[in-house]
Amino acid sequence: MTGDRSAFLRLASGLAEMSRLMGEEDYEATARRFAAHLVQEVPGCDLAFIAVGRDDGAEVVASTGGPLDDTGLVDRDGPVAEVLRHREPRRLEDTREDRRWPLFASRLALHGYRSCLVLPVPTERSPGAAVALLSRAPHRFDDHAYDLVLLVTLHTGIVLDNVEVLHHSRRMVEHLTTALGTRHTIGLAQGLLMRHFTHGADTSFALLRRASQHANRKLRDVAADLVDAHERDEFHQALLRHRIAPAPL
């Protein structure tokens, strides 16, 4: 019992440290780190991988190695696909004797793996995920191992969700920054046209939009070209290039 408790404390401490280090990692790098941690901490685990559900099936996004074919691991009729569909654990006590998933079991047995444990990763924002542990020994994943893996999968789900939220937030900030920069550039170009032609803001914007349509270029690109040309004292040439002329009175 003391050994079990120390193992849990060690694992919990390691998970906390991993979470602290994952702020700058992407989804797949985070998954790889957790898979490696499973092999390190779960007794008898020789290989671990994490699979996520996709619209057209499933995909292994992280693995600690091995010659196994990823496509066979997430076959629609295998335990990984079932875990992704039903969010329930699956366990193979001995791949040489299990008859529920013959193709999956035979593939593992061919490479020397005798037992397997697959658990759902509880996620809310990320794609559905499952973690699988393989051992070269039969009947390897007992209740103690199950509890250890359950702790990791719970933590994995939280961190993967946080990574997803973090990167979504960063993408939103990047898009907002781009939008603000675009609006600023268009505003500068409008101001240049207003001053050059003594037009109002609406008329100057209409000139930009017409130039964009004629050149089949984005309005922000035409605006940026005008601003750059002004900085190079080539504004008149840019007006000619974009066929921008004073609006008729």
Side-chain angles (χ1 to χ4, degrees), residues 75-83 85 88-108 114-118 139 141:
D75 183 80
R76 290 181 180 274
D77 297 323
V80 176
E82 287 191 10
V83 169
R85 282 197 302 269
E88 299 173 349
R90 296 290 186 268
R91 177 157 41 187
L92 286 78
E93 299 292 355
D94 191 339
T95 56
R96 295 181 184 176
E97 299 176 358
D98 193 284
R99 297 294 180 265
R100 292 170 295 172
W101 305 286
L103 292 178
F104 181 84
S106 62
R107 186 181 300 274
L108 297 191
R114 297 289 302 276
S115 54
C116 174
L117 175 64
V118 188
H139 307 280
F141 300 113

Side-chain angles (χ1 to χ4, degrees), residues 55-226:
D55 293 337
D56 57 348
E59 175 188 2
V60 174
V61 296
S63 175
T64 57
L68 297 176
D69 175 27
D70 289 353
T71 303
L73 293 176
V74 294
D75 183 80
R76 290 181 180 274
D77 297 323
V80 176
E82 287 191 10
V83 169
L84 289 171
R85 282 197 302 269
H86 304 297
R87 315 301 297 160
E88 299 173 349
R90 296 290 186 268
R91 177 157 41 187
L92 286 78
E93 299 292 355
D94 191 339
T95 56
R96 295 181 184 176
E97 299 176 358
D98 193 284
R99 297 294 180 265
R100 292 170 295 172
W101 305 286
L103 292 178
F104 181 84
S106 62
R107 186 181 300 274
L108 297 191
L110 179 65
H111 293 287
Y113 296 103
R114 297 289 302 276
S115 54
C116 174
L117 175 64
V118 188
L119 290 177
V121 176
T123 59
E124 295 182 1
R125 301 177 181 87
S126 306
V131 60
L133 285 73
L134 308 182
S135 176
R136 297 190 180 279
H139 307 280
R140 194 65 186 85
F141 300 113
D142 55 15
D143 291 340
H144 171 60
Y146 184 96
D147 291 340
L148 282 174
V149 180
L150 183 60
L151 175 59
V152 175
T153 56
L154 289 171
H155 205 80
T156 304
I158 294 171
V159 174
L160 290 179
D161 276 342
N162 289 340
V163 170
E164 190 76 6
V165 170
L166 174 63
H167 287 283
H168 177 69
S169 299
R170 286 176 176 170
R171 288 193 296 269
M172 289 183 62
V173 170
E174 290 171 359
H175 293 162
L176 178 60
T177 302
T178 300
L180 291 174
T182 296
R183 188 171 68 176
H184 178 68
T185 301
I186 292 174
L188 289 177
Q190 274 184 272
L192 292 172
L193 293 176
M194 290 169 64
R195 186 176 67 180
H196 188 80
F197 292 128
T198 65
H199 287 325
D202 291 344
T203 302
S204 297
F205 184 80
L207 292 177
L208 279 174
R209 184 171 55 190
R210 190 180 310 150
S212 169
Q213 293 170 346
H214 288 168
N216 195 25
R217 296 180 61 189
K218 293 181 179 179
L219 192 147
R220 68 187 182 201
D221 294 337
V222 174
D225 190 41
L226 291 176

Side-chain angles (χ1 to χ4, degrees), residues 225-237:
D225 190 41
L226 291 176
V227 173
D228 290 343
H230 172 74
E231 294 176 352
R232 298 192 306 268
D233 292 326
E234 298 174 358
F235 188 67
H236 182 69
Q237 294 91 320

Side-chain angles (χ1 to χ4, degrees), residues 24-37:
E24 299 301 320
E25 292 187 336
D26 60 21
Y27 189 96
E28 294 185 7
T30 300
R32 285 194 299 271
R33 190 184 286 267
F34 271 105
H37 201 64

